[in-house]
Amino acid sequence: MSEFLPAEKALGMYKMMYRIRKYEESIYYLFLEGIMPGTIHQSTGQEASAVGMLYDLREDDWMATSHRPAGHDLAKGISVRAMMCEMFGKAEGCCGGKGGAMHTGDVSVGAMTANAIVGGNLPIAAGAALAFKMRKKDNVVVCFFGDGASNEGAYHETMNAAGLWKLPVVYVCENNLYSANTSISLTCCQEDVAAGRAAVYGIPSEVVDGSDVVAVNKAATKAIARARAGEGPTVIEVKTYRHGGHSRNDACGYRPKNEEELWIHQRDPVKNFRTVILENEVVSEETLCEVEAEIEQEIDDAVEYAKNAPLPADEDALQHVFWEG
């Protein structure tokens, strides 16, 4: 674990990581029990990436996420209740019950609606960053994408434009070693996505340990400051791992057991950060347990609220279908 943080910040980051973990666990069981409709692409195991990258953003900064959005959305400020209502297709969901698991978002907190097209959010984030630059604002956009998206044409076209125009955007490659169920060793000729594929566009890059939220946050701080100062984009590659499958029906039979043992049990970002917090005497074990219990109750309350919340009205199906001037 790298250099530690001020106590208040460390505890705040842990609380958000634990909130994301418990939210995802709750969603998993609700789907497993057939209580919740649709499908899910979960971010369990990738909490350090979301929290480390987004913790220090301003509310008026923007974030673009992908088809695995829950951790990013919660870390950017969408409430657990609004997220849970969206999962149940309820009117009080963050997208009015129309988005579901792969299309969450809330522009009021700077969370652009998730994009399920692989690499589809990359040019959109560049567009938002260009708008900020043209308006002479110092806002920053953070855009998450997976290792598989770096093979898309949209990635290369976007990086060329972002590097050329020095856009205030931080691109974060969450390299969880798999594009759906295909190993990165079979899809990418480079071990590190960031270094080789950013340099050709004149964009600096950094590779960080995605199981260390402090290391991720340190890289984020530098890249965000660079973008805000008008110095252009950065590509940060976060080496991470999703604990579950690509989607809820993926049993992960293609993953080696020793690999899962390493990443899920030895490099768990939430459990490891909890240990370091206690070692640094940020709070006592008793206090930490109380904090965790409060978050678990928050999740339980959100589930019960969402179950009983009203469905959208029939006429809502005709809203947001096209733009009305």
Side-chain angles (χ1 to χ4, degrees), residues 87-169:
M87 296 303 100
F88 278 97
K90 299 302 180 71
E92 293 180 59
C94 57
C95 290
K98 295 180 178 181
M102 289 198 292
H103 299 286
T104 49
D106 184 348
V107 293
S108 71
V109 297
M112 289 188 277
T113 305
N115 196 318
I117 299 172
V118 175
N121 60 336
L122 295 165
I124 295 172
L130 178 60
F132 286 139
K133 183 171 183 174
M134 292 177 70
R135 294 176 180 178
K136 302 187 184 305
K137 295 186 174 182
D138 70 345
N139 304 76
V140 173
V141 181
V142 172
C143 177
F144 294 93
F145 64 100
D147 47 280
S150 69
N151 293 322
E152 294 286 340
Y155 172 86
H156 299 280
E157 294 173 12
T158 299
M159 292 301 144
N160 186 60
L164 180 65
W165 298 334
K166 294 189 179 302
L167 299 182
V169 58

Side-chain angles (χ1 to χ4, degrees), residues 25 44 87 119 125 131 134 145 150 212 252 275 279 293 300:
E25 287 180 357
T44 308
M87 296 303 100
M134 292 177 70
F145 64 100
S150 69
D212 182 351
C252 298
T275 298
E279 289 176 349
D300 290 343

Side-chain angles (χ1 to χ4, degrees), residues 38-113:
T39 190
I40 44 174
H41 296 74
Q42 297 195 279
S43 62
T44 308
Q46 301 182 184
E47 296 87 355
S49 174
V51 176
M53 286 303 310
L54 300 176
Y55 193 81
D56 294 322
L57 279 188
R58 303 191 315 230
E59 187 172 83
D60 63 343
D61 290 325
W62 284 48
M63 182 275 296
T65 182
S66 62
H67 61 272
R68 205 177 301 280
H72 305 147
D73 284 331
L74 289 170
K76 190 60 179 75
I78 301 180
S79 71
V80 172
R81 178 179 288 188
M83 289 287 287
M84 199 66 74
C85 282
E86 188 64 33
M87 296 303 100
F88 278 97
K90 299 302 180 71
E92 293 180 59
C94 57
C95 290
K98 295 180 178 181
M102 289 198 292
H103 299 286
T104 49
D106 184 348
V107 293
S108 71
V109 297
M112 289 188 277
T113 305

